[in-house]
């Protein structure tokens, strides 16, 4: 009982971070369960570069980067191999488009080729709202010092067409390369495109 | 692309400058994924949650003369498609043209949209039945028959989610007297709802002040409309916050509105176009400003 109380209080404090962080400010901490039921917190990953990727596998813009191009899984594989912690998050409420209960979500994600470090079930939407995650896909990068380094689109072509993946400006990937190289991120905040997150 | 303001009375519209044709998605996959867990219903949702047809003002055309047509989109209840400025999310409807040699088009025209909030995101677009005017011009020496084709692509969103849709449409026409057919009146009414350039009748200026822009309309005489009683829409994406209502009040003979900038407004703001819807009987106008 005490454990539940502590977790609830911790959750309430997390909720008090109403304003999403600006670029260059500390990224909001969170504690969310992954699809295996394990609690995952940002503070688990001190001194690591962390990527947050909001997802809804029924959204045509997400399908563009998963089943129709393999783009997102390829990025996940490439950058986790470089020591990046990649968190895929679904903030959909129960019953909304793209929601699956955890074990089914794990299966769906595996079928889609998802290779994230963790797949987080942010079903109450607290983490999504703390970051102001608006659409799927919506990408964030947190640098090793815990500061937000990128908030924006996966790439520059706001379409649902897989043909555009190759020719688009790779806004997110370029930003991640810059963060890993310790360089300044160009275009750190831009408009993400996708379907609205189903809070 | 050929542009003219003579023909479609909608005037110059910044049609679709970068037509991105949405892929044909396996429609059965969409229908089945949406129906998962629900009892099968007699009314299957339409692919793309809307139907599209190409209607014409006449079955015959005069060589070299403007020919008014429209793409009629009927949205499923609860679903909408998007305007040229879609708002915080969404994609405008676009067309891929497949016209025979010598035929010209004036772009896809959009009537005054409505505002909506879907999933907490503010957008501009349409629901129910929508007519998007398309004016074509046959070649000067056109005789006989022609088959005109195009593919229209849209993004339909509702509370449930978003679904892309597209349709391959065709019109068969023959050279003749262009006598108005049954759809002519509806098409002309749709053309009336396409904003036309305000031209000399008013002048828009835009001043940036930190996180806002001050919009000023200097009205010509006689005033073409009253902006305080008209709905105003930002045509240029991003500059103005899509959630913001644009309300003009008269200050010293100048209509003035202060609105928040959009989150992704360019810095500095280089250009802005507004659509002034007008009330019943007033023609909707498009007012454009460019930074000096």
């Amino acid at each position: 009982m005490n454990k539940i109380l502590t977790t609830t209080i911790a959750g309430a404090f997390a909720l008090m971070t109403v304003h999403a962080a600006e670029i260059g400010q500390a990224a909001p901490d969170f504690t969310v369960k992954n699809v295996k039921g394990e609690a995952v917190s940002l503070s688990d990953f001190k001194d690591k570069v962390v990527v947050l990727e909001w997802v809804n596998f029924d959204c045509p813009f997400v399908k563009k980067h998963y089943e129709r191009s393999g783009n997102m899984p390829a990025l996940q594989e490439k950058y986790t191999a470089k020591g990046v912690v990649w968190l895929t998050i679904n903030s959909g409420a129960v019953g909304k488009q793209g929601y699956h209960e955890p074990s089914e979500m794990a299966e769906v994600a595996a079928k889609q080729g998802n290779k994230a470090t963790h797949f987080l079930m942010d079903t109450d939407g607290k983490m999504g709202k703390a970051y102001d995650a608006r659409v799927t896909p919506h990408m964030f990068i947190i640098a090793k010092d815990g500061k937000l380094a990128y908030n924006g689109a996966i790439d520059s072509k706001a379409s649902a067409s897989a043909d555009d993946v190759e020719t688009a400006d790779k806004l997110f990937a370029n930003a991640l390369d810059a963060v890993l190289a310790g360089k300044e991120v160009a275009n750190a905040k831009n408009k993400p495109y996708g379907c609205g997150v189903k809070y | 692309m050929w542009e003219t303001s003579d023909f479609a009375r909608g005037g110059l519209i910044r049609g679709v400058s970068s037509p991105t044709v949405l892929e044909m998605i396996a429609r059965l996959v969409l229908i089945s994924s949406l129906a998962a867990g629900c009892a099968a219903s007699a009314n299957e949702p339409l692919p793309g949650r809307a139907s599209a047809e190409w209607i014409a003002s006449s079955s015959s055309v005069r060589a070299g003369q403007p020919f008014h047509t429209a793409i009629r989109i009927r949205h499923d209840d609860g679903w909408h498609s998007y305007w040229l400025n879609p708002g915080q999310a969404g994609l405008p409807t676009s067309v891929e043209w497949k016209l025979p040699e010598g035929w010209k088009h004036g772009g896809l025209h959009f009537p005054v949209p409505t505002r909506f909030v879907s999933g907490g995101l503010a957008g501009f677009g349409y629901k129910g039945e929508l007519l998007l005017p398309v004016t074509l011009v046959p070649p000067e020496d056109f005789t006989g028959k022609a088959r005109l084709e195009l593919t229209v692509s849209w993004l339909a969103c509702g509370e449930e989610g978003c679904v892309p849709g597209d349709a391959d449409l065709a019109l068969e026409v023959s050279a003749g007297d262009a006598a108005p057919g049954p759809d002519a009146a509806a098409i002309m009414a749709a053309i009336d709802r396409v904003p036309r350039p305000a031209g000399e009748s008013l002048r828009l200026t835009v001043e940036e002040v930190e996180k806002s822009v001050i919009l000023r309309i200097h009205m010509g005489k006689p005033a073409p409309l009253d902006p305080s009683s008209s709905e105003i829409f930002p045509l240029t994406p991003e500059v103005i916050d899509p959630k913001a209502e644009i309300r003009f009040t008269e200050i010293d003979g100048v209509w003035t509105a202060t609105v928040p900038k959009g989150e992704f407004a360019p810095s500095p703001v280089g250009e802005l176009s507004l659509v002034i819807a007008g009330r019943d009987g007033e023609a909707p106008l498009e007012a454009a400003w460019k930074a000096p």
Side-chain angles (χ1 to χ4, degrees):
Chain A
M1 192 57 174
N2 276 341
K3 233 187 193 149
I4 297 168
L5 197 59
T6 319
T7 318
T8 313
I9 292 170
F13 277 122
L15 242 191
M16 284 160 74
T17 322
V18 170
H19 287 294
E22 302 287 323
I23 301 289
Q25 287 182 15
D29 197 3
F30 52 80
T31 300
V32 180
K33 286 202 181 140
N34 66 13
V35 286
K36 296 182 207 162
E38 301 159 335
V40 173
S41 303
L42 180 59
S43 44
D44 295 342
F45 308 116
K46 281 198 166 65
D47 299 323
K48 296 251 181 181
V49 173
V50 179
V51 164
L52 307 179
E53 170 219 345
W54 260 267
V55 84
N56 162 3
F57 291 115
D58 289 344
C59 168
F61 298 95
V62 170
K63 289 185 193 209
K64 169 189 180 183
H65 291 284
Y66 272 90
E67 62 194 50
R68 280 187 256 131
S69 66
N71 184 36
M72 200 67 82
L75 291 169
Q76 291 159 351
E77 192 165 358
K78 174 177 176 183
Y79 288 103
T80 53
K82 293 181 190 238
V84 168
V85 173
W86 190 300
L87 306 177
T88 302
I89 305 120
N90 180 277
S91 291
V94 175
K96 298 258 172 129
Q97 189 206 45
Y99 174 80
H100 300 277
E101 59 84 31
S103 57
E104 202 188 322
M105 184 70 87
E107 274 175 41
V108 172
K111 249 196 227 158
Q112 294 283 337
N114 178 281
K115 295 178 176 65
T117 315
H118 293 283
F119 194 120
L120 304 184
M121 297 293 298
D122 176 45
T123 308
D124 61 14
K126 285 185 186 147
M127 181 185 172
K129 288 177 185 161
Y131 280 81
D132 195 18
R134 306 250 187 92
V135 294
T136 57
H138 191 163
M139 313 298 296
F140 296 80
I141 303 172
I142 302 165
K144 284 185 184 177
D145 60 6
K147 294 191 178 153
L148 192 61
Y150 183 81
N151 170 356
I154 176 75
D155 64 20
S156 67
K157 288 204 173 162
S159 77
S161 171
D163 292 338
D164 289 336
V165 173
E166 216 179 288
T167 51
D169 273 343
K170 295 162 183 30
L171 302 175
F172 159 76
N174 292 340
L176 189 48
D177 287 338
V179 169
L180 290 171
K183 293 193 185 145
E184 190 164 333
V185 177
N187 204 359
K189 180 154 195 251
N190 57 67
K191 183 182 182 185
Y193 65 85
C195 312
V197 172
K198 308 278 172 276
Y199 287 109
Chain B
M1 192 199 296
W2 154 82
E3 295 178 295
T4 181
S5 46
D6 298 315
F7 310 115
R9 289 197 333 237
L12 277 168
I13 295 291
R14 213 165 285 100
V16 184
S17 54
S18 57
T20 306
V21 178
L22 296 171
E23 262 189 326
M24 284 283 275
I25 310 298
R27 292 167 178 184
L28 290 173
V29 171
L30 273 173
I31 292 175
S32 59
S33 68
L34 287 166
C38 303
S41 90
N43 295 324
E44 286 285 341
L46 289 167
R49 297 301 190 140
S51 66
E53 303 163 77
W54 196 357
I55 59 174
S57 54
S58 172
S59 55
S60 66
V61 302
R62 276 181 280 193
Q65 295 298 304
F67 170 48
H68 299 301
T69 73
I71 297 172
R72 178 165 62 199
I73 296 183
R74 288 181 165 141
H75 303 82
D76 278 1
D77 271 344
W79 294 79
H80 50 258
S81 64
Y82 291 89
W83 187 44
L84 287 166
N85 175 8
Q88 288 187 279
L91 274 184
T93 302
S94 63
V95 163
E96 191 189 343
W97 306 96
K98 298 164 188 168
L99 301 177
E101 180 101 18
W103 281 75
K104 299 200 182 95
H105 66 80
L108 182 66
H109 288 200
F110 288 77
V112 175
T114 56
R115 291 171 177 267
F116 51 78
V117 176
S118 180
L121 298 174
F124 306 107
Y126 311 93
K127 57 182 183 167
E129 179 169 298
L130 166 68
L131 264 61
L132 298 172
V134 169
T135 297
L136 305 161
V137 182
E140 295 281 345
D141 57 357
F142 177 62
T143 55
K145 290 191 164 89
R147 182 179 166 87
L148 316 171
E149 294 179 359
L150 58 79
T151 301
V152 60
S153 304
W154 65 89
L155 183 72
C157 294
E159 281 310 313
E160 213 177 296
C162 291
V163 166
D166 50 48
D168 296 322
L169 304 175
L171 273 183
E172 309 264 357
V173 296
S174 43
D177 64 2
D183 289 324
I187 293 172
M188 297 318 283
I191 290 174
D192 279 346
R193 294 309 299 155
V194 175
R196 67 224 52 193
E200 297 301 310
S201 62
L202 59 83
R203 189 170 60 92
L204 169 68
T205 60
V206 175
E207 183 190 346
E208 283 185 68
V209 178
E210 289 173 19
K211 294 202 169 165
S212 299
V213 280
I214 303 176
L215 311 173
R216 293 186 182 89
I217 292 179
H218 306 258
M219 206 59 82
K221 286 186 174 32
L225 42 68
D226 172 5
S228 69
S229 63
S230 200
E231 227 186 325
I232 317 276
F233 300 88
L235 177 55
T236 312
E238 309 313 339
V239 176
I240 291 178
D241 182 349
K243 297 189 299 293
E245 215 184 319
I246 304 175
R247 273 251 157 88
F248 279 92
T249 46
E250 198 176 356
I251 300 175
D252 295 333
V254 176
W255 293 97
T256 309
T258 302
V259 286
K261 280 190 199 170
E263 195 179 346
F264 302 100
S267 181
V269 173
E271 57 178 354
L272 175 64
S273 289
L274 298 179
V275 160
I276 307 167
R279 289 170 305 178
D280 286 337
E282 288 173 339
L285 297 180
E286 179 188 329
W289 168 84
K290 264 199 165 74

